Amino acid sequence: GENVEQHPSTLSVQEGDSAVIKCTYSDSASNYFPWYKQELGKGPQLIIDIRSNVGEKKDQRIAVTLNKTAKHFSLHITETQPEDSAVYFCAPGNYGQNFVFGPGTRLSVLP
Amino acid sequence: ETGVTQTPRHLVMGMTNKKSLKCEQHLGHNAMYWYKQSAKKPLELMFVYSLEERVENNSVPSRFSPECPNSSHLFLHLHTLQPEDSALYLCASSPRTGANMNTEAFFGQGTRLTVV
């Protein structure tokens, strides 16, 4: 099965700074790479995803980059805001397989 | 609002009680999932239903019993639980349109369960 790790497990940044969270996985057949955000009292929600035929994808302040050779992908958040404070999960997967979530990274954006 | 609704939001039950968690989605998805989220642990996949058939049961104790009467509803029946079963139970749904591609999972807000 897929082994998924995230680094760091906690991250504190000053408002306006950038944050980067890295996800490593073990299954070289993985071809779908999403990031979810979980705010307090809510379930996780997809914020960005990428498929294996693309190396980078950007959506306003967030971006995801993929290195399939090294089996890792990263979430980049620029110009962080207090509302970005949450737990972030990666969930790399393969066609038709179930979602396997990483352990999560708690991001705190300090005003 | 993600389109996946879970009830109740909070539940306190004794170890000898029987209770049920309910999940409902009207997104037209054909796969539904139960996850357990404990403090400082990854999201643990418990059960998967695809087209109303259980396709995965991840070695979950028999005191948890899922039911999927139709593609829009999913239940988790609980009986004789232990204090270590206290957690946030999350339901999710996805299109799961076959082997063509993975897609987004839509989560409910969860039921916070406390076993006393």
Side-chain angles (χ1 to χ4, degrees), chain B residues 2-113:
Chain B
T2 64
V4 179
T5 304
Q6 290 186 243
T7 54
R9 292 293 309 278
H10 301 272
L11 178 62
V12 178
M13 61 185 287
M15 289 189 283
T16 58
N17 290 161
K18 286 185 180 181
K19 296 286 184 183
S20 295
L21 310 184
K22 180 182 176 182
C23 177
E24 186 172 353
Q25 60 94 5
H26 295 288
L27 301 170
H29 294 165
N30 55 23
M32 297 187 77
Y33 312 78
W34 279 117
Y35 284 87
K36 176 183 178 182
Q37 187 174 37
S38 307
K40 299 185 179 179
K41 279 182 132 181
L43 282 160
E44 300 173 67
L45 181 63
M46 300 174 72
F47 301 104
V48 181
Y49 276 82
S50 180
L51 298 173
E52 300 159 42
E53 286 191 27
R54 191 190 308 181
V55 296
E56 186 148 339
N57 175 350
N58 278 357
S59 303
V60 179
S62 59
R63 56 186 184 269
F64 295 90
S65 175
E67 180 189 1
C68 187
N70 55 61
S71 59
S72 299
H73 295 87
L74 185 66
F75 294 89
L76 188 62
H77 304 298
L78 316 170
H79 64 96
T80 59
L81 294 192
Q82 305 298 312
E84 59 264 28
D85 296 322
S86 298
L88 181 68
Y89 288 85
L90 288 160
C91 172
S93 72
S94 75
R96 199 179 172 103
T97 51
N100 292 330
M101 64 173 60
N102 271 346
T103 56
E104 176 181 357
F106 291 77
F107 283 86
Q109 293 187 301
T111 295
R112 173 68 63 187
L113 174 67

Side-chain angles (χ1 to χ4, degrees), chain A residues 57-90:
Chain A
K57 182 177 178 180
K58 190 173 181 181
D59 182 5
Q60 299 183 343
R61 295 188 299 107
I62 61 173
V64 54
T65 57
L66 171 64
N67 185 329
K68 276 214 79 178
T69 304
K71 289 189 283 188
H72 65 75
F73 62 111
S74 296
L75 175 68
H76 305 256
I77 306 174
T78 59
E79 301 171 31
T80 53
Q81 300 169 4
E83 52 265 35
D84 295 327
S85 296
V87 180
Y88 291 83
F89 296 94
C90 62

